[in-house]
Amino acid sequence: MPTGQTDTIVGIDLGTTNSLVAYADERGPRVIYTTRDGARDNGMVPSVVAIDPAGGVIDVGRSARLHAIERPEITVYSIKRLMGRGFEDVQEEARRLPYRVVRRAGGQGRDIAAVQIGSRVYTPPEISAFILRELKARAEAYFERPISKAIITVPAYFDDTQRQATRDAGKIAGLDVIRIINEPTAAALAYGLDRHDDSTIAVYDLGGGTFDVSILRLSGGTFEVLSTHGDTHLGGDDFDWEIIRLVQQEVRRRYGEHLAFPPSTLQGLRNLAEAVKIRLSSQDQVDFEIDLGQGRNFGMQLTRGDLERMIEPYVQRTIDSCRQALCDAKLEPDAIDQVVLVGGSTRIPYVRRRLREVFGKEPYSALNPDEVVALGASVQASVMAGLKREVLLLDVVPLSLGIETLGGAVAKLILRNTRMPCQATEMFTTFLDGQTSIKLTVLQGERELAKDCRTLGEFELRGIPPMPAGMPKVQVTFLIDQNGILHVSAREQRSGKEASIQVIPAHGLTREEVRQMEKDAYAHARQDMKIHRLIDVRNQVVFDTAKAEQALRKAGPTLDPNLRKTITESMANLRRLAETSEDSEAIYQALQDFDRMTIPLAEHAVAQALKEAHQQETGERNS
Amino acid sequence: MTWPVVCEACHTLYPPREQVDYFELLGVPRQYDLDLEKLRRNFLALNRRIHPDFFSAEDDDVKNASMRIAAQINSAYETLRDPVQRAEYILHICGGPSSSQDKSVPTELLGTVMMLRDQIDEARQNNDALALKTLHERIAARRQEAMEVVGALARRVCQSDSDIERAELRKQLNASQYWTGLLRQIEP
């Protein structure tokens, strides 16, 4: 058990399919395999949350996944795909998900995709917070003390809103997210930690729901990202859906077009498709059977070739991304010394074959692709905690940042693949006499028109001193920090006055909303704890009084009658209190008093037992 | 090595300044010809002293200062690393006009560029790979020539303190943008 650190920072891989928490010290990084109850598992917490329609969480992780088939409408998975997105953006995803995806009423033209269970609407950061709280509990069980600081990884291609949403999730879970790092960069950290030779590597990260590729230069502990590219909606899930679609087609061909698939069957198909996909990585063909109910069994066969044909367009998109990243880094494929594989989907032989073709070398697969991101995050955590100074991460902005100009065009302020942190300044003025505020729409993306880019939000600069039109000179500074998160500040040059900025995030939460959710979550957690404690202490009362009752019975006439009377009376009082009171502290106090009172009873029992043993002994000798 | 942003003895960050000289910041001589390997080494060494990741336990003021300094260093490195941007920066600190203030180009340039654009379009339409390759080589060579002129002017411009030389460097830098644009057009 590690000791001595006052400020423990853990590294968290908050994945689409699985999440992990890791920690690094002088002995190196390791995944925490301790469960919240102190047992051990493989460290992978399925990113699944089962929610009670009446309110509250039923289960998180492995046990939540068990609900998925019986109650798909209350079992939330792949929430990462909805993080920081608008309802309009996620229409296609929503069709695949068995739970209800709704538009959260946000006001001011905001559009946030959310999940509705029963009558309650949960935002993706709130759902993610349940997973983070589970990871936090694991770390706390491991360290046996509270953990409040973490580094969380995100896909390199996540935009500002998605990063903000991730940080909000941490906050709601009671975690101070001191750094957000990119998943491929984290993987490079884990890979390059013990390598001292200079090299250029490509990290190919194909997970359940996202794809990233980053080109890095490693030299003397410096991890310098040269370029990055990716797709936040491409992953192993898409392969599963190709299989599901094919199976549905075949089933309908046999049983008719009208056949509907209820959510529970869909969930079953999802599990089946994933299993078939995994088996086709080691087998050439898989035969399987589907129970369609009413005694109908449908048998099918799928070959590795079938799967490869289905996933080819997706893999091609990842290859195109690799070429773009190489081009942005101004490198030819043969300049790459090593291709490092991350994410479960890189176990697919077809993916490896295509990478071999592009880079002309065997990809590096000695790392566990499921753990490497969490391990890297924990290495960065040890840097941030001041335990390690030799590692330095220099990462880049994945998407260009711009503002909307008249006519809906985009003026780019910061180009993609610029090193973070970075800043740009721009001058703005007024169009009307006496105008005291200016509105800006901030965008992220590579396209020329505002409507084709992601709107991060509207920034309203307020408190501009009234002047004739065109006179104020407002200098606005856009700063992207090392986490890829945007900060905007503004100053009116003539008056030197700092302008205040109100941000209306297009698809994100306001600070006030996050604070409220944090408070709610904290109250819920305390409520949960209180209920737990009440249950625990009541159980203890039942147990201890039963034990005392038994001892009283056994003690017989040799026990001091006064003692018997007091114990019997206080036992009745304690039981009554435990049944009627909700105050776990008061019950606990009464239980402690009772336990103290029964000490003579226990002593009496011991003495009697000794006497009996003695009598028995002498009796045996006398007979 | 001492740096203008951090105290070498006590590792305290100096308050970030609005304007910094990029050459001074990265500890390289104020000139067009630079040792790029040294520039990179200094860039990394400086980051090891000021990067925000090493100040995470400090107050917000210190964290913000390190973030702003890191942003300046990144911008300085990006600027000095690239020959065109480096020449632009030299012109700027020597009091020369910006590209929005002075858009003039050498007289024969626009005609040549238009002609080459037509030739690229034609070769594309005819799927003439050989013609495209020849055009590519020609444009790359012209850009190279333009960059040599830019370099020669950028080496002199600060010493001479001449408006004519500054205007000439501006003109050649504007021209190099056209060549870069053409190269982008011809590369797939």
Side-chain angles (χ1 to χ4, degrees), chain A residues 179 217 219-222 224 380 383-384 389-394 419-423 477 479 481-482, chain B residues 18 37 40 43-44 47-49 51-54 56-57 66-68 70-72 74 77-78 81:
Chain A
R179 184 84 150 83
R217 187 162 160 188
S219 52
T222 304
E224 192 185 356
Q380 179 65 11
V383 173
M384 305 285 291
R389 263 203 85 103
E390 61 272 25
V391 169
L392 173 63
L393 264 195
L394 301 172
R419 278 187 185 74
M420 305 186 284
C422 50
Q423 65 176 41
T477 303
L479 184 129
D481 68 14
Q482 61 276 18
Chain B
E18 281 279 316
E37 199 37 52
R40 180 181 143 78
F43 166 75
L44 294 179
N47 260 304
R48 290 204 165 270
R49 282 168 178 76
H51 196 276
D53 286 356
F54 302 131
S56 71
S66 93
M67 195 159 75
R68 293 199 177 269
Q72 279 179 341
N74 282 335
Y77 183 56
E78 289 301 328
R81 207 157 65 117

Side-chain angles (χ1 to χ4, degrees), chain A residues 128-139:
Chain A
S128 299
F130 293 129
I131 302 164
L132 289 174
R133 218 172 286 133
E134 183 68 23
L135 298 171
K136 183 173 183 273
R138 291 174 73 98

Side-chain angles (χ1 to χ4, degrees), chain A residues 10 31 35 101 117 192 210 221 239 304 331 333 371 379 394 399 532:
Chain A
V10 293
V31 168
T35 68
V101 177
I117 308 282
T210 61
F239 305 167
R304 191 185 280 187
L331 292 174
E371 291 189 348
V379 172
L394 301 172
L399 297 154
H532 264 281

